[in-house]
Amino acid sequence: MGKLLEVQNLTKYFPVKSSGPAQKRGSVKAVDGVYFFINEGETLGLVGESGCGKSTTGRLILRLLEPTAGKVLFEGRDVFGLGRKELRALRKDMQMIFQDPYASLNPRMTVGDIIAEPLKIYRAASGADLQERVQKLLGYVGLASYHARRYPHEFSGGQRQRIGIARALALNPRLIICDEPVSALDVSIQSQVLNLLKELQQEFGLTYLFIAHGLNVVKHVSSRVGVMYLGKLVELADVDDLYGKPLHPYTRALLSAVPVPDPRAKKERIILTGDVPSPVNPPPGCRFHTRCYLCGDICREKDPVFMEVGKNHFVACHMVEQE
C-alpha cells in the first residue's frame, strides 16, 4: 500500500497580542515541525496530553486552519497549495468526526437533513435518491430509517456520534480525521463506536488519523501510533513495537500509567515531576527535559532530531541515540 497522506514540517504558531495596542507579544507554538505519513487503508493513532497539538494537527491537515509552515501531501498533491476550487473538490476525500457529539450537530436540523447536507452541497444526490442514500448511511452506523425525522436532542451521546460518522461517510471519503471521537462517551458505548469504526474501515477501505489521549483506545484501533509532546512528535512506531518496547521516556511514562485489569499484577509507575512548560515559551533543547528522568546536559542544550532508530520506529531523544 502506498502513502495516502504525508505531513512534512507541519507548523502552526498562534500570535499572542497584548491587551493595549495590537502588538505581538509572542506565539503559541501549537504544532512545531511535525513529520509523519499514513498509508492507504491503515489507522495512525496520535496520542499525548491535552494541549500538545493533536487536534490542531488534524485541523491543519484538512486545512480548517492555515499553517505557519510545512506541507500536507494528499496523494502527492500539496493541500496548502490548492486553489479554492481544487480544495473544494478534495474535501470530498477528506472528512472529520468531531469530539463533541452535542456541539457538532445543528440542533435546528433533523438528522436526515444533517446527513443529506453534504450530498446537497456537492450535488451528489437529489429527490428519492437522496432519501435512499440517507437511509443507507443511517443503516451503516446502526440507526433506523425513521431516525431521519428526529432532531439531535432526541438522541443519546453515542447515537449522536453515530450520526456524525454517517455524515462523514456521506461523500465516500478516503481519509477521515477522528478527533477524540469517543472521549465524551461512556466506556460501554466507547467500545461500540470503536468497533463500528473498524467495521466501516474494512467495508469501505477507509484510512483514519485517530486522535485520542486514551492509550488503550488507540491500541485497539491503530496499526501505528505517534506520541506528541508540546507541539512535537517524540515517537512513532508500529503499535506492537510502541507498546512492547517504548523508547522515549515520555512514552514509557504514559504507558506506565495505563491501568492493568488484574488487581494482583504489580506495575512500576514512572512519575513525572513538574508541569508541562508553556507553549508560548518552551524550554531550550529537548522540550521534555524539564520533566525527564533521563535528562543529560545535551538535552538542555540541543533539540533532538526525529530519526529512525529501528524498522519504522522513529524517536526524538538524545538518550536513545547514545544507546
Side-chain angles (χ1 to χ4, degrees), residues 9-33:
N9 191 35
L10 188 61
T11 303
K12 179 62 178 179
Y13 293 172
F14 293 98
V16 177
K17 296 181 180 179
S18 63
S19 56
Q23 296 177 350
K24 187 174 177 181
R25 199 171 60 184
S27 297
V28 175
K29 298 175 175 60
V31 179
D32 199 2

Tab-separated table of all heavy atoms in Angstrom, residues 9-33:
chain	number	residue	atom	x	y	z
A	9	ASN	N	7.153	18.801	8.082
A	9	ASN	CA	7.486	20.023	8.827
A	9	ASN	C	6.256	20.871	9.126
A	9	ASN	O	6.290	22.106	9.051
A	9	ASN	CB	8.521	20.853	8.042
A	9	ASN	CG	9.095	21.990	8.869
A	9	ASN	OD1	9.291	21.857	10.074
A	9	ASN	ND2	9.350	23.125	8.238
A	10	LEU	N	5.166	20.239	9.503
A	10	LEU	CA	3.916	20.955	9.752
A	10	LEU	C	4.062	21.832	10.995
A	10	LEU	O	4.429	21.358	12.074
A	10	LEU	CB	2.771	19.965	9.934
A	10	LEU	CG	1.365	20.561	10.007
A	10	LEU	CD1	1.031	21.308	8.719
A	10	LEU	CD2	0.336	19.461	10.258
A	11	THR	N	3.767	23.118	10.833
A	11	THR	CA	3.986	24.095	11.902
A	11	THR	C	2.804	25.057	11.967
A	11	THR	O	2.305	25.515	10.935
A	11	THR	CB	5.273	24.900	11.639
A	11	THR	OG1	6.373	23.992	11.528
A	11	THR	CG2	5.555	25.889	12.753
A	12	LYS	N	2.352	25.344	13.198
A	12	LYS	CA	1.308	26.334	13.397
A	12	LYS	C	1.582	27.126	14.663
A	12	LYS	O	1.597	26.578	15.776
A	12	LYS	CB	-0.069	25.667	13.505
A	12	LYS	CG	-1.207	26.655	13.737
A	12	LYS	CD	-1.360	27.649	12.585
A	12	LYS	CE	-2.509	28.609	12.790
A	12	LYS	NZ	-2.633	29.589	11.695
A	13	TYR	N	1.842	28.429	14.495
A	13	TYR	CA	2.022	29.354	15.615
A	13	TYR	C	0.808	30.281	15.663
A	13	TYR	O	0.423	30.868	14.651
A	13	TYR	CB	3.288	30.200	15.445
A	13	TYR	CG	4.598	29.441	15.522
A	13	TYR	CD1	5.800	30.079	15.214
A	13	TYR	CD2	4.651	28.103	15.897
A	13	TYR	CE1	7.009	29.397	15.278
A	13	TYR	CE2	5.848	27.412	15.967
A	13	TYR	CZ	7.026	28.064	15.651
A	13	TYR	OH	8.219	27.385	15.715
A	14	PHE	N	0.244	30.435	16.857
A	14	PHE	CA	-0.854	31.378	17.058
A	14	PHE	C	-0.297	32.616	17.745
A	14	PHE	O	0.274	32.511	18.838
A	14	PHE	CB	-1.953	30.760	17.920
A	14	PHE	CG	-2.685	29.625	17.268
A	14	PHE	CD1	-2.349	28.310	17.547
A	14	PHE	CD2	-3.712	29.873	16.377
A	14	PHE	CE1	-3.030	27.259	16.961
A	14	PHE	CE2	-4.402	28.827	15.770
A	14	PHE	CZ	-4.054	27.516	16.062
A	15	PRO	N	-0.419	33.795	17.139
A	15	PRO	CA	0.141	35.006	17.756
A	15	PRO	C	-0.579	35.375	19.050
A	15	PRO	O	-1.794	35.207	19.172
A	15	PRO	CB	-0.069	36.087	16.683
A	15	PRO	CG	-1.190	35.582	15.839
A	15	PRO	CD	-1.093	34.083	15.866
A	16	VAL	N	0.190	35.847	20.014
A	16	VAL	CA	-0.352	36.331	21.284
A	16	VAL	C	-0.145	37.840	21.318
A	16	VAL	O	0.987	38.318	21.187
A	16	VAL	CB	0.356	35.672	22.485
A	16	VAL	CG1	-0.172	36.236	23.797
A	16	VAL	CG2	0.162	34.170	22.446
A	17	LYS	N	-1.207	38.598	21.501
A	17	LYS	CA	-1.117	40.064	21.478
A	17	LYS	C	-1.409	40.632	22.855
A	17	LYS	O	-2.147	40.051	23.650
A	17	LYS	CB	-2.089	40.639	20.449
A	17	LYS	CG	-1.749	40.234	19.016
A	17	LYS	CD	-2.722	40.830	18.019
A	17	LYS	CE	-2.362	40.426	16.594
A	17	LYS	NZ	-3.307	40.979	15.606
A	18	SER	N	-0.843	41.777	23.125
A	18	SER	CA	-1.091	42.455	24.402
A	18	SER	C	-2.482	43.069	24.394
A	18	SER	O	-3.101	43.255	23.349
A	18	SER	CB	-0.036	43.537	24.636
A	18	SER	OG	-0.126	44.528	23.624
A	19	SER	N	-2.983	43.422	25.575
A	19	SER	CA	-4.323	43.984	25.681
A	19	SER	C	-4.364	45.463	25.288
A	19	SER	O	-5.424	46.021	25.078
A	19	SER	CB	-4.846	43.825	27.117
A	19	SER	OG	-3.942	44.430	28.026
A	20	GLY	N	-3.177	46.100	25.198
A	20	GLY	CA	-3.119	47.509	24.793
A	20	GLY	C	-3.115	47.617	23.280
A	20	GLY	O	-3.917	46.991	22.596
A	21	PRO	N	-2.223	48.424	22.737
A	21	PRO	CA	-2.086	48.493	21.289
A	21	PRO	C	-1.782	47.102	20.729
A	21	PRO	O	-1.140	46.298	21.382
A	21	PRO	CB	-0.892	49.442	21.087
A	21	PRO	CG	-0.841	50.242	22.340
A	21	PRO	CD	-1.311	49.343	23.440
A	22	ALA	N	-2.285	46.834	19.531
A	22	ALA	CA	-2.153	45.485	18.950
A	22	ALA	C	-0.696	45.174	18.633
A	22	ALA	O	-0.246	45.266	17.486
A	22	ALA	CB	-3.012	45.386	17.697
A	23	GLN	N	0.034	44.825	19.648
A	23	GLN	CA	1.446	44.483	19.484
A	23	GLN	C	1.630	42.995	19.747
A	23	GLN	O	1.120	42.457	20.726
A	23	GLN	CB	2.315	45.291	20.449
A	23	GLN	CG	2.281	46.789	20.191
A	23	GLN	CD	3.087	47.535	21.222
A	23	GLN	OE1	3.514	46.987	22.224
A	23	GLN	NE2	3.310	48.818	20.966
A	24	LYS	N	2.362	42.346	18.879
A	24	LYS	CA	2.613	40.914	19.030
A	24	LYS	C	3.546	40.693	20.202
A	24	LYS	O	4.618	41.250	20.274
A	24	LYS	CB	3.227	40.362	17.741
A	24	LYS	CG	3.359	38.857	17.744
A	24	LYS	CD	3.840	38.368	16.382
A	24	LYS	CE	4.045	36.869	16.391
A	24	LYS	NZ	4.523	36.367	15.107
A	25	ARG	N	3.093	39.859	21.150
A	25	ARG	CA	3.869	39.608	22.350
A	25	ARG	C	4.591	38.269	22.302
A	25	ARG	O	5.457	37.993	23.121
A	25	ARG	CB	2.944	39.663	23.562
A	25	ARG	CG	3.656	39.878	24.890
A	25	ARG	CD	2.673	40.132	25.996
A	25	ARG	NE	1.749	39.016	26.172
A	25	ARG	CZ	0.738	39.024	27.029
A	25	ARG	NH1	0.488	40.095	27.748
A	25	ARG	NH2	-0.059	37.976	27.159
A	26	GLY	N	4.243	37.447	21.374
A	26	GLY	CA	4.833	36.123	21.261
A	26	GLY	C	3.915	35.233	20.449
A	26	GLY	O	2.976	35.704	19.813
A	27	SER	N	4.181	33.939	20.476
A	27	SER	CA	3.377	32.986	19.721
A	27	SER	C	3.192	31.707	20.521
A	27	SER	O	4.124	31.248	21.189
A	27	SER	CB	4.045	32.649	18.380
A	27	SER	OG	4.146	33.786	17.558
A	28	VAL	N	2.008	31.163	20.438
A	28	VAL	CA	1.761	29.826	20.984
A	28	VAL	C	2.202	28.824	19.926
A	28	VAL	O	1.620	28.759	18.846
A	28	VAL	CB	0.274	29.630	21.322
A	28	VAL	CG1	0.022	28.192	21.774
A	28	VAL	CG2	-0.169	30.602	22.394
A	29	LYS	N	3.224	28.061	20.234
A	29	LYS	CA	3.776	27.085	19.279
A	29	LYS	C	2.969	25.790	19.395
A	29	LYS	O	3.412	24.807	19.994
A	29	LYS	CB	5.263	26.876	19.552
A	29	LYS	CG	6.082	28.159	19.374
A	29	LYS	CD	7.535	27.956	19.769
A	29	LYS	CE	8.375	29.205	19.467
A	29	LYS	NZ	7.912	30.407	20.189
A	30	ALA	N	1.781	25.809	18.807
A	30	ALA	CA	0.839	24.697	18.959
A	30	ALA	C	1.330	23.431	18.265
A	30	ALA	O	1.238	22.330	18.806
A	30	ALA	CB	-0.529	25.098	18.414
A	31	VAL	N	1.831	23.582	17.050
A	31	VAL	CA	2.422	22.475	16.283
A	31	VAL	C	3.737	22.991	15.733
A	31	VAL	O	3.774	24.053	15.112
A	31	VAL	CB	1.491	22.012	15.139
A	31	VAL	CG1	2.124	20.887	14.340
A	31	VAL	CG2	0.137	21.576	15.683
A	32	ASP	N	4.819	22.234	15.954
A	32	ASP	CA	6.146	22.786	15.658
A	32	ASP	C	7.047	21.757	14.963
A	32	ASP	O	7.804	21.031	15.595
A	32	ASP	CB	6.808	23.245	16.965
A	32	ASP	CG	7.944	24.231	16.718
A	32	ASP	OD1	8.188	24.591	15.550
A	32	ASP	OD2	8.583	24.651	17.703
A	33	GLY	N	6.895	21.664	13.635
A	33	GLY	CA	7.781	20.796	12.859
A	33	GLY	C	7.446	19.324	12.973
A	33	GLY	O	8.283	18.514	13.381
